[in-house]
Amino acid sequence: MKIAILSDIKSNVYALEAVIADAKSRSVDAMLNLGDSFYGPIEPRATYNLIKENQFITISGNEDRQVLEATPAQLEENETLRYTYNQLADDVLYWIQDLSFEKLIGPDYYMIHGTYMDDSLYMLEDVSSGKPVLKNDKQILEIIDDIKSTFVMCGNSGLPRCTTLSSGQVVINPGAVGLQAFKSNVPNDHIIENNTPDASYVILNVEDNQYSVEPIRVAYDYEKAALKAEENNRADWAHSLRTGKVLN
């Protein structure tokens, strides 16, 4: 079985189109989406349409949840949140509401956006220094807790990683489809940078008790996404979309 694993589309339908085309050219059997699909100043509604059209298996991310839980005051204060909320409208919001926080596909494939305890945290990265550092084996096993699946798939950090644990489990983060650099203050101030504008995803190929994990970078017309971000007053996003670096 050949599986395309995606995460963190972040309303970037232009990147998503390129990733889907690349995945289909490789004859994948299924496409999994680990959440944070819609929040962003690009094209939330068009992103939803493309996800539905291509029959992704999708779970919710912390930003998807935040869109659903947005209060009138938050919508007033956060222009990007308001744009996302208004673009999606009630039908998509109801669809997001039905998404699972986690998903188990058979015994071997487990999908989660962040961690089981907190969808806004990273499973693999320690950012206490302000920069992402891979957690050690013991730390990751403590986070995974009683999940026994062979393949544990997570997103959120935007950093493509594949780590084999002492338990024999394989933890895969496909990186981000839609945004390659950002600043965050959860759980503390830190910066994520991939230093490329190219979209990221992973192909997991499992056959006859053997597997391979292939990280893939896909070039796309990021200028379209950057111009849309600028149109919606997000110069910081536009810079990250063009460079894979944060705006200082």
Side-chain angles (χ1 to χ4, degrees), residues 3-212:
I3 304 168
I5 308 170
L6 293 71
S7 190
D8 297 270
I9 301 166
K10 296 184 181 290
S11 83
N12 191 343
V13 71
Y14 308 109
L16 181 59
E17 287 171 339
V19 166
I20 291 172
D22 189 82
K24 287 184 174 180
S25 76
R26 299 168 191 266
S27 301
V28 299
D29 298 299
M31 290 188 282
L32 311 185
N33 173 19
L34 303 176
D36 277 7
S37 302
F38 307 110
Y39 177 83
I42 308 174
E43 293 285 359
R45 181 76 194 203
T47 297
Y48 165 77
N49 292 339
L50 200 55
I51 289 171
K52 286 285 287 181
E53 177 186 330
N54 287 276
Q55 299 181 318
F56 279 84
I57 298 172
T58 298
I59 61 171
S60 177
N62 60 301
E63 290 179 349
D64 303 316
R65 174 177 54 77
Q66 288 162 5
V67 172
L68 285 179
E69 296 174 354
T71 66
Q74 289 170 331
L75 292 171
E76 180 66 28
E77 294 168 3
N78 185 331
E79 183 178 355
T80 303
L81 182 61
R82 184 168 68 252
Y83 171 75
T84 304
Y85 191 92
N86 290 338
Q87 273 256 318
L88 295 178
D90 287 347
D91 60 330
V92 185
L93 295 173
Y94 284 126
W95 182 84
I96 296 172
Q97 188 174 350
D98 288 337
L99 294 177
S100 300
F101 171 82
E102 60 180 342
K103 186 176 287 289
L104 185 64
I105 304 174
D108 291 330
Y109 304 94
Y110 177 78
M111 300 169 63
I112 190 80
H113 180 71
T115 74
Y116 180 75
M117 298 301 295
D118 190 333
D119 59 6
S120 66
L121 299 181
Y122 306 143
M123 183 176 289
L124 295 179
E125 287 81 23
D126 179 344
V127 292
S128 57
S129 67
K131 296 282 179 93
V133 177
L134 181 64
K135 293 173 181 173
N136 63 41
D137 186 83
K138 180 181 178 182
Q139 290 172 313
I140 299 169
L141 284 170
E142 287 175 350
I143 292 169
I144 289 176
D145 195 19
D146 61 352
I147 299 164
K148 302 303 181 186
S149 300
T150 303
F151 300 102
V152 177
M153 297 166 283
C154 62
N156 199 27
S157 73
L159 292 173
R161 294 190 191 272
C162 178
T163 302
T164 302
L165 303 176
S166 59
S167 62
Q169 294 170 286
V170 181
V171 185
I172 301 166
N173 187 323
V177 170
L179 187 68
Q180 303 306 319
F182 61 89
K183 296 178 182 177
S184 177
N185 59 6
V186 178
N188 55 268
D189 290 342
H190 64 275
I191 291 173
I192 300 287
E193 293 181 315
N194 280 298
N195 299 299
T196 175
D198 294 347
S200 176
Y201 82 108
V202 157
I203 286 185
L204 171 63
N205 195 8
V206 183
E207 189 172 351
D208 297 330
N209 296 317
Q210 295 185 326
Y211 75 90
S212 63

